[in-house]
Amino acid sequence: MTTIQQLYKTLDERKRPEDVAEMIVDIIKSDFKIHEHAILSKAANHSLKNSFYGYTSMLETFGVAIGAGKQIKKAVEIFKISEKENSGYNNVDEIEAFLKEVSSLIHKDVGQNDFRKDRLNKDLRKLAGMDISKRNYNKKWRLLKRIEIRLQKFIHESKKIEFQKISKHGLSHTISFEDFSADLNTACFIAYFNARSNLRSTFTNQSQDRPFDEICDMLFNRCKQNSEGTNWSAISYIYSSREVLQHLTDEQKGNLLGKWTVILEEISGFLEMLWYENDIYRKTMAVKKGNDSTTWNNTAGAWNKARDNWMNLIYALGLDSILEDLCFGKVMRLMAADVIAWHLSTGGKIDPNTEVWNNVPLPWEVFQERVFCNKEIIVNACKEAGIDPEKSGWIAPRIHGVSPFRPTPELVHGVMVSNPFLAKVLRQNKYFSGKI
């Protein structure tokens, strides 16, 4: 595997920015100016290869949804059919195709899973030409039902993982290798910014570090200096600033707006389901026992990321008048009660964004056009909470600065630990997890 292929592979992983920086040095080392190399070396010098431990306890991949391979292997055995190919059945289309084909062997309709109503009795089995015992029929029927349940769980878990990726880095994991590798400056910026965007949150009562750091800035400036060769369309999948979008045609912007609108629609339904399943305390957004805070926060992050990109494109296309008729707000993440208490004990107060969140309609209901909310309503809510509606990102594209580079800390549930081997032991024993 070439270095550029390894770099591309990181788009769907959670590699440390330092290790991605080292790859970038290998790719275009001779083309860097002295000051550019010095900036990149701030990260590359801290790669695992150059560190004392040479190891990290933190996972460097996203989760993977488990398909129906185990259940289908059993079905192949029980139905005595030949397996066309050993695909592992980690694909929705493959599982659905298998169900459709095999369910017909016992005249079962996919989706009809009521044990009392949807099975064939002895006479109907005989009429259908099925010369099998009741026990054999029930065994096959139940197994197909389990495969259908596994399929629904697989779809659910796949959505959760997809939304987690979107919440971190937008659509960078969907960029094709051809688009990624067409220009090295483009590839290097996307890969490093992707790694920075995927960093985990730290346990703090201060704001988190912004992903766009001084190395991102240097790599982005290289793209701007070679603007003609830069693949701005690929960059817009992870970084949709005004500087990037101005290089896209209206057709490209429109296609991207369509993508983000579809994603917002998918997330809105998922958020609504989570909202009613978790009985979330909206006033403070403090985690209660039984709340699935991980899934909620990942999905809320995906909504906010999609919304930011949607908003950027609305302004870039000159369609901001839409906001006078339709403007949906941000979604607040759940906060641990100890973090809130820590924040209050040091002179802070509840995030004013939470106050806005409480005073405007739920954003998925607005998106689904079940309730009305426009720019004016959100502006008034922001004023009541004492925050600027534009600078806070409620009605306008976010504006960010350039963060200084900081080495990636070893984290155990957000708590910094100096030694990766100690971090592994602490994690295995559930320290800082709230479970001991």
Side-chain angles (χ1 to χ4, degrees):
M1 187 184 292
T2 63
T3 308
I4 189 68
Q5 288 173 323
Q6 291 175 330
L7 196 65
Y8 176 70
K9 192 167 176 281
T10 67
L11 298 189
D12 206 22
E13 297 176 334
R14 300 193 78 170
K15 289 286 186 184
R16 296 161 71 251
E18 293 88 340
D19 300 314
V20 173
E22 186 184 42
M23 292 183 195
I24 293 171
V25 170
D26 291 340
I27 291 175
I28 52 176
K29 184 175 183 179
S30 59
D31 193 37
F32 277 124
K33 296 172 184 175
I34 294 174
H35 74 279
E36 291 174 337
H37 190 272
I39 293 172
L40 188 60
S41 294
K42 290 182 180 182
N45 289 343
H46 291 276
S47 68
L48 292 179
K49 197 177 290 184
N50 294 324
S51 72
F52 174 76
Y53 298 108
Y55 165 79
T56 178
S57 67
M58 298 184 293
L59 288 176
E60 295 189 283
T61 57
F62 286 95
V64 178
I66 299 173
K70 181 180 178 181
Q71 293 82 0
I72 288 177
K73 184 179 179 181
K74 190 67 178 177
V76 168
E77 176 189 328
I78 290 176
F79 279 87
K80 296 181 173 59
I81 56 178
S82 58
E83 196 172 5
K84 293 180 180 179
E85 59 179 50
N86 187 17
S87 66
Y89 292 97
N90 281 314
N91 178 284
V92 172
D93 293 337
E94 290 176 351
I95 300 172
E96 287 179 341
F98 180 88
L99 279 170
K100 186 176 181 181
E101 180 181 345
V102 179
S103 294
S104 64
L105 298 179
I106 61 168
H107 299 272
K108 179 184 182 301
D109 293 327
V110 177
Q112 303 300 308
N113 293 316
D114 189 295
F115 191 75
R116 291 179 177 274
K117 299 177 182 178
D118 297 327
R119 288 177 304 140
L120 301 181
N121 59 28
K122 182 178 180 180
D123 293 336
L124 290 174
R125 291 198 302 273
K126 188 175 181 180
L127 191 64
M130 295 171 60
D131 187 20
I132 60 174
S133 67
K134 178 181 179 181
R135 182 182 178 186
N136 191 355
Y137 171 77
N138 286 346
K139 188 176 184 180
K140 291 177 177 178
W141 192 93
R142 285 193 180 100
L143 181 55
L144 290 175
K145 178 181 177 179
R146 287 200 297 272
I147 294 174
E148 288 189 43
I149 293 171
R150 179 71 253 171
L151 172 60
Q152 294 308 312
K153 287 182 178 177
F154 177 66
I155 292 171
H156 183 78
E157 291 301 312
S158 297
K159 278 186 178 181
K160 284 167 61 174
I161 294 167
E162 179 68 10
F163 294 157
Q164 181 189 16
K165 291 177 181 179
I166 290 172
S167 74
K168 290 294 184 181
H169 58 231
L171 295 175
S172 62
H173 62 286
T174 68
I175 299 171
S176 69
F177 179 70
E178 290 71 26
D179 286 337
F180 178 79
S181 59
D183 174 63
L184 286 182
N185 286 327
T186 300
C188 292
F189 171 74
I190 290 173
Y192 183 79
F193 186 48
N194 180 77
R196 283 283 302 173
S197 299
N198 287 338
L199 288 177
R200 294 163 174 83
S201 300
T202 57
F203 185 80
T204 178
N205 65 345
Q206 304 297 318
S207 59
Q208 303 288 332
D209 281 346
R210 295 296 180 188
F212 198 94
D213 67 2
E214 56 190 302
I215 298 173
C216 287
D217 190 47
M218 180 273 290
L219 294 171
F220 187 63
N221 283 332
R222 286 177 61 87
C223 293
K224 290 193 290 185
Q225 289 161 13
N226 184 33
S227 182
E228 291 298 319
T230 297
N231 189 338
W232 294 107
S233 177
I235 290 177
S236 69
Y237 274 51
I238 186 172
Y239 186 53
S240 60
S241 70
R242 184 181 299 176
E243 281 185 290
V244 173
L245 295 180
Q246 69 182 3
H247 293 283
L248 271 58
T249 64
D250 283 349
E251 183 180 0
Q252 288 174 316
K253 293 174 194 172
N255 288 336
L256 197 54
L257 179 62
K259 280 180 185 287
W260 284 115
T261 304
V262 169
I263 290 168
L264 281 168
E265 184 176 8
E266 291 177 358
I267 297 172
S268 70
F270 204 75
L271 275 172
E272 184 175 23
M273 178 194 71
L274 292 174
W275 179 256
Y276 290 111
E277 282 182 355
N278 285 275
D279 186 27
I280 290 168
Y281 185 47
R282 185 175 180 181
K283 186 175 181 180
T284 63
M285 293 304 287
V287 178
K288 296 192 300 185
K289 187 176 181 180
N291 287 164
D292 182 359
S293 59
T294 299
T295 302
W296 173 267
N297 288 349
N298 285 337
T299 310
W303 171 271
N304 294 334
K305 181 75 73 173
R307 179 186 175 279
D308 284 348
N309 281 276
W310 185 87
M311 195 78 76
N312 287 345
L313 287 156
I314 286 291
Y315 278 91
L317 285 163
L319 299 174
D320 47 297
S321 58
I322 288 175
L323 303 180
E324 303 298 338
D325 299 315
L326 174 70
C327 189
F328 35 84
K330 297 188 283 188
V331 175
M332 294 295 102
R333 290 175 169 85
L334 286 168
M335 293 286 289
D338 51 357
V339 175
I340 295 175
W342 182 17
H343 192 70
L344 294 174
S345 70
T346 55
K349 60 179 183 178
I350 296 293
D351 185 353
N353 285 288
T354 304
E355 187 178 333
V356 179
W357 154 258
N358 275 282
N359 291 330
V360 298
L362 293 169
W364 53 88
E365 293 182 348
V366 178
F367 184 82
Q368 296 164 8
E369 298 186 272
R370 284 152 46 191
V371 295
F372 176 77
C373 183
N374 66 1
K375 181 178 177 180
E376 182 182 359
I377 292 173
I378 290 181
V379 167
N380 290 336
C382 288
K383 287 179 179 177
E384 285 180 23
I387 60 174
D388 188 305
E390 292 190 5
K391 290 181 180 178
S392 60
W394 279 92
I395 62 162
R398 283 177 177 272
I399 299 172
H400 66 79
V402 178
S403 305
F405 168 77
R406 290 189 181 90
T408 303
E410 201 70 27
L411 299 174
V412 179
H413 298 291
V415 179
M416 295 185 193
V417 178
S418 59
N419 185 303
F421 296 100
L422 174 61
K424 182 179 180 181
V425 173
L426 292 173
R427 185 178 292 107
Q428 287 173 341
N429 288 279
K430 299 183 179 178
Y431 279 88
F432 313 127
S433 67
K435 297 180 180 178
I436 59 172

